[in-house]
Amino acid sequence: MSDHKGTNAPPRKRLFISLMGFTCLIVVGLIFLAWWVPNRGLANIHPQLPHIVGIAVVVLSGAAILGTGLLVLTTALGKDIFFTRFMRLVVIKFLLPMIELVGRGLGLDKDSIRQSFIAMNNSLVISQRQKIRPDRILVLLPHCIQLFDCEIKVTGDIRKCVQCGRCDIKGLVGISQKYHVDISVATGGTLARKVIVEKRPKLVLAVACERDLTSGIKDCYPLPVIGILNNRPFGPCFNTTVDTTKIDAALSQVILLEEPDPTTV
């Protein structure tokens, strides 16, 4: 059975933002309940204790609402407003598990939530407007981008490609030459982590499916990761493809282009 997921339509951030807002309301409700349920007994301990706990509830609820609002504004405007790196931590480590749980309770498709999360993560990374040297950027590809029956295995070094054009490796070699970035093909998560440790990049652009990108973004934090979903016309992990224009567009937003030498002008 063929799998056409993760293909042409760009992932929408609205789903993740909607779930984030819904989750925020749940958190605020739980905080309020944590105060209200024992409230009658708190006065027996100290008459001012209900007021102190009430203030704490208001502060926590306000922080949750403010954080959600800042995330929405950062994503909508595409600008680093406040504490973007910290907000990425909150989204990746805390909000995502809660949102996946809420989404499961609402009967939403897990991959749809992951696609929306990846899109929002990309917005937060790009909104920081960091410009990074090409030698500090790593592009990671899954091995299934190459045709299964190709005799020339490019794992680890895509320059081995003979440029036959039967798969997307040819276009990716062109991107590597255009931007002078390092592109590696990894056969799995363990090898991908090993490559990252060895290369020590400041930013990773990874191509993979929803599950692998989501886990990779979480595992790599605080290292910024931009995720590009692959296309799977023949099912997962077999002769997958990628829209190379998306990779080109993402790199153009984060790469520090070399200034021309004034002595040669």
Side-chain angles (χ1 to χ4, degrees):
M1 183 180 295
S2 64
D3 180 354
H4 298 280
K5 286 185 178 181
T7 55
N8 303 315
R12 296 181 177 180
K13 294 167 279 192
R14 284 180 293 178
L15 175 61
F16 195 83
I17 290 173
S18 299
L19 287 173
M20 185 170 61
F22 186 63
T23 303
C24 174
L25 291 177
I26 293 175
V27 170
V28 170
L30 290 175
I31 293 172
F32 175 77
L33 284 175
W35 165 77
W36 183 79
V37 171
N39 185 49
R40 296 179 182 274
L42 291 176
N44 296 326
I45 300 173
H46 192 282
Q48 294 299 320
L49 197 53
H51 303 291
I52 295 172
V53 175
I55 293 171
V57 167
V58 171
V59 170
L60 290 173
S61 300
I65 294 170
L66 178 63
T68 301
L70 285 175
L71 280 170
V72 173
L73 277 176
T74 302
T75 304
L77 299 176
K79 295 181 179 180
D80 186 5
I81 301 176
F82 297 110
F83 313 117
T84 299
R85 182 170 173 174
F86 176 73
M87 287 193 292
R88 281 185 60 235
L89 169 66
V90 173
V91 170
I92 292 169
K93 298 296 185 181
F94 301 103
L95 275 180
L96 178 59
M98 294 177 63
I99 287 172
E100 286 183 325
L101 185 63
V102 171
R104 195 179 306 128
L106 295 173
L108 297 176
D109 179 58
K110 185 182 291 186
D111 278 347
S112 296
I113 298 173
R114 288 170 174 167
Q115 288 176 15
S116 194
F117 161 72
I118 293 163
M120 183 165 191
N121 168 79
N122 292 351
S123 290
L124 291 175
V125 172
I126 293 172
S127 71
Q128 293 183 268
R129 305 288 178 92
Q130 285 186 311
K131 294 295 183 180
I132 301 170
R133 295 201 323 260
D135 61 334
R136 300 306 305 276
I137 295 176
L138 173 64
V139 178
L140 269 179
L141 306 173
H143 68 94
C144 54
I145 286 287
Q146 186 180 23
L147 287 183
F148 178 76
D149 59 355
C150 184
E151 296 180 357
I152 309 240
K153 298 304 177 186
V154 298
T155 302
D157 185 3
I158 66 169
R159 290 173 296 182
K160 296 177 183 176
C161 176
V162 297
Q163 307 281 296
C164 70
R166 294 169 60 215
C167 70
D168 289 332
I169 295 294
K170 179 181 179 180
L172 293 164
V173 172
I175 288 176
S176 176
Q177 294 170 344
K178 175 182 178 180
Y179 291 108
H180 307 290
V181 294
D182 192 0
I183 298 184
S184 295
V185 180
T187 55
T190 301
L191 181 57
R193 284 187 287 270
K194 182 175 181 292
V195 171
I196 291 172
V197 170
E198 290 175 352
K199 305 280 188 180
R200 299 188 59 154
K202 290 187 69 176
L203 181 139
V204 173
L205 190 151
V207 176
C209 62
E210 291 88 351
R211 183 192 65 185
D212 290 348
L213 280 180
T214 300
S215 62
I217 290 169
K218 289 193 291 187
D219 292 344
C220 287
Y221 184 86
L223 179 66
V225 177
I226 295 176
I228 305 291
L229 288 166
N230 61 7
N231 308 318
R232 305 182 290 279
F234 304 103
C237 303
F238 183 79
N239 288 352
T240 60
T241 65
V242 66
D243 186 347
T244 54
T245 61
K246 293 180 180 179
I247 297 177
D248 192 302
L251 286 174
S252 68
Q253 294 184 77
V254 297
I255 204 160
L256 177 63
L257 297 176
E258 295 183 0
E259 296 287 341
D261 189 344
T263 61
T264 62
V265 176

